[in-house]
Amino acid sequence: MEQIITITDAAALQIKDMMKNNEEGNFLRVAVHGGGCSGLSYGMGFTQEANENDIEMNLHDIAVLVDQESAGVLKGTVIDYKQSMMGGGFTIDNPNAIASCGCGSSFRTAQNAGKPEEC
């Protein structure tokens, strides 16, 4: 089992809490898609089953799936959850990203720029 990403304790608690009220699936899928201001964007959601090309990890007793295409771009990424007076949200620290948009949900890497969209 290869570990592509790391999930912090704070993020794991939030994900587990979300999974309690979730009917969409038992797996957490983390992926990269083309699009966004900088060319690539992150995706995170729940799914019922793994695909043939998925890498499955068990992080904090959470079954996490990353497809092989996203794995190279996500290698070394840390997913955290931050709480502030304005609310909370997940943060993604990707060491492969060389540029990102202001909102932090779109990025590009040296090897894969993707096709930027209008912001």
Side-chain angles (χ1 to χ4, degrees):
M1 177 176 72
E2 184 179 4
Q3 184 170 328
I4 306 299
I5 63 172
T6 300
I7 296 176
T8 66
D9 292 341
L13 285 172
Q14 186 66 27
I15 292 165
K16 286 179 181 180
D17 190 47
M18 292 168 72
M19 288 182 102
K20 286 180 193 174
N21 304 317
N22 167 43
E23 297 178 8
E24 294 184 31
N26 300 324
F27 293 99
L28 173 69
R29 178 174 298 285
V30 181
V32 172
H33 307 286
C37 303
S38 297
L40 297 172
S41 61
Y42 299 107
M44 198 163 81
F46 300 111
T47 186
Q48 292 286 350
E49 57 190 47
N51 295 327
E52 188 176 296
N53 70 336
D54 285 336
I55 298 167
E56 187 173 340
M57 298 164 278
N58 187 319
L59 306 173
H60 298 275
D61 293 324
I62 300 167
V64 180
L65 301 174
V66 176
D67 66 85
Q68 299 235 359
E69 191 172 314
S70 297
V73 177
L74 291 172
K75 182 95 172 146
T77 294
V78 177
I79 298 174
D80 195 6
Y81 186 84
K82 307 267 189 204
Q83 188 71 38
S84 71
M85 290 177 56
M86 299 297 287
F90 290 99
T91 62
I92 299 175
D93 181 17
N94 185 342
N96 304 302
I98 60 169
S100 64
C101 66
C103 66
S105 64
S106 177
F107 68 102
R108 98 178 109 97
T109 67
Q111 290 78 28
N112 191 342
K115 184 177 180 198
E117 297 174 352
E118 295 270 336
C119 288

